[in-house]
Structures are given as C-alpha cells and as structure tokens.
Amino acid sequence: MRRFSARTFIRRSPAEVFDFIADHRNVPRVLDGVSRWEPLGVKSRGAGARYRVEMRTLGLPLRAVLRLDGWRRPERISWVSEGGLIPQSGGWTFTARDGGVELELRLAYEPPAAALGNFVAGRVESLVKGRLEAALERIRAELEESR
C-alpha cells in the first residue's frame, strides 16, 4: 500500500467544514480531474452511502465504487473502494484548533501490477498529491471567503 496525506487550516467550525465535505456535489468542483462523483441509490450521506467515481490521471479514466465506512459528525468521514482498478481507502479528519479546524485528507492505495505499478505510482503520486493540496486550498478559500 502507498499512503499520503495533505492538510490545511480553515477558520470555520468543524461542523461547517464537515458539512461542506459531506456534500458530494462539492467534490468535482474542488478536485481537479474528477468528472463523476454520484451517489448509487438514495443514500448520499452517512456510513454505507456508495458513490460511482470517475477521475482522469495522465489522460486515463479511472473508475471506482467508493463506500463510506466511517461517519462521525463533525470529526471524520472515511471510505473504502468496492471496485475499480486501484484498491483504495481514505478519510477526512476535522480537528478543532485555534478558532478553526485542521482539515486532513489521508489516502492509501495499492498500485496495480506490483513492481511496475509501484514504479508508475511513484511518477503519478506527485501529480495526485498536488491535486489534493490544491483541492484543500480551494476548500479553505471558499469557506473562509463565504463568511
């Protein structure tokens, strides 16, 4: 498994930041490369909600089904993949601090094809990490400017 994380500080309450992240419609707006993040079924919030996800990395479409396996408002949201080429898991944590919230995004994934996958993942990882850091910055800017 390969792992990485990104974090930012937002001058809003943990509940406000949690609610922004919990709204699946915000994902394609803030995360470059995501073309689809749609609920499967009627449940779109809380543990057990499932999403059909599609993103592009290096021009290749990557599709998956993600299931929320952790949901504790306003502290954390986590997920695991149920399908797709790249098994993954991840989560958001919301930690109250200094009149705001420290928002952290963690991601773990298993590259396909063992050694070759690890070689390619090493090249792609900086691109993906950059996208995640940019998304956190967009979230911070949007929430702090909407005050």
Side-chain angles (χ1 to χ4, degrees), residues 62-81:
L62 298 174
R63 295 177 185 91
V65 172
L66 302 181
R67 177 179 47 83
L68 298 182
D69 67 343
W71 184 279
R72 184 180 306 151
R73 185 178 187 268
E75 298 165 9
R76 71 177 173 85
I77 298 172
S78 61
W79 70 87
V80 296
S81 61

Side-chain angles (χ1 to χ4, degrees), residues 6-14 17 74-75 92-105 136:
R7 68 181 65 202
T8 192
F9 179 78
I10 302 172
R11 295 187 191 291
R12 297 294 287 263
S13 74
V17 178
E75 298 165 9
W92 296 93
T93 56
F94 310 82
T95 305
R97 183 174 62 80
D98 301 327
V101 63
E102 182 173 276
L103 175 63
E104 181 180 20
L105 172 59
L136 289 175

Side-chain angles (χ1 to χ4, degrees), residues 28 31-38 53-56 61-62:
L31 185 54
D32 286 341
V34 172
S35 58
R36 174 181 286 170
W37 196 284
E38 300 170 343
V53 176
E54 183 174 320
M55 60 186 69
R56 290 195 164 276
L62 298 174

Side-chain angles (χ1 to χ4, degrees):
M1 286 295 255
R2 297 182 67 99
R3 302 173 192 282
F4 57 91
S5 64
R7 68 181 65 202
T8 192
F9 179 78
I10 302 172
R11 295 187 191 291
R12 297 294 287 263
S13 74
E16 290 172 299
V17 178
F18 183 99
D19 291 344
F20 182 88
I21 299 296
D23 185 342
H24 69 276
R25 296 169 298 185
N26 290 325
V27 176
R29 276 193 15 238
V30 299
L31 185 54
D32 286 341
V34 172
S35 58
R36 174 181 286 170
W37 196 284
E38 300 170 343
L40 287 170
V42 295
K43 185 172 186 169
S44 66
R45 296 174 61 91
R50 297 171 67 233
Y51 300 89
R52 182 178 319 279
V53 176
E54 183 174 320
M55 60 186 69
R56 290 195 164 276
T57 301
L58 298 178
L60 300 171
L62 298 174
R63 295 177 185 91
V65 172
L66 302 181
R67 177 179 47 83
L68 298 182
D69 67 343
W71 184 279
R72 184 180 306 151
R73 185 178 187 268
E75 298 165 9
R76 71 177 173 85
I77 298 172
S78 61
W79 70 87
V80 296
S81 61
E82 291 186 335
L85 178 63
I86 301 173
Q88 64 159 298
S89 62
W92 296 93
T93 56
F94 310 82
T95 305
R97 183 174 62 80
D98 301 327
V101 63
E102 182 173 276
L103 175 63
E104 181 180 20
L105 172 59
R106 297 171 332 301
L107 182 62
Y109 68 99
E110 190 170 331
L116 177 61
N118 273 314
F119 175 76
V120 172
R123 304 290 184 257
V124 172
E125 216 163 77
S126 64
L127 170 69
V128 173
K129 186 167 174 75
R131 283 182 178 179
L132 296 177
E133 289 170 345
L136 289 175
E137 179 56 27
R138 283 187 200 100
I139 293 165
R140 186 203 58 74
E142 185 163 329
L143 287 172
E144 287 185 355
E145 291 170 7
S146 68
R147 272 207 131 143

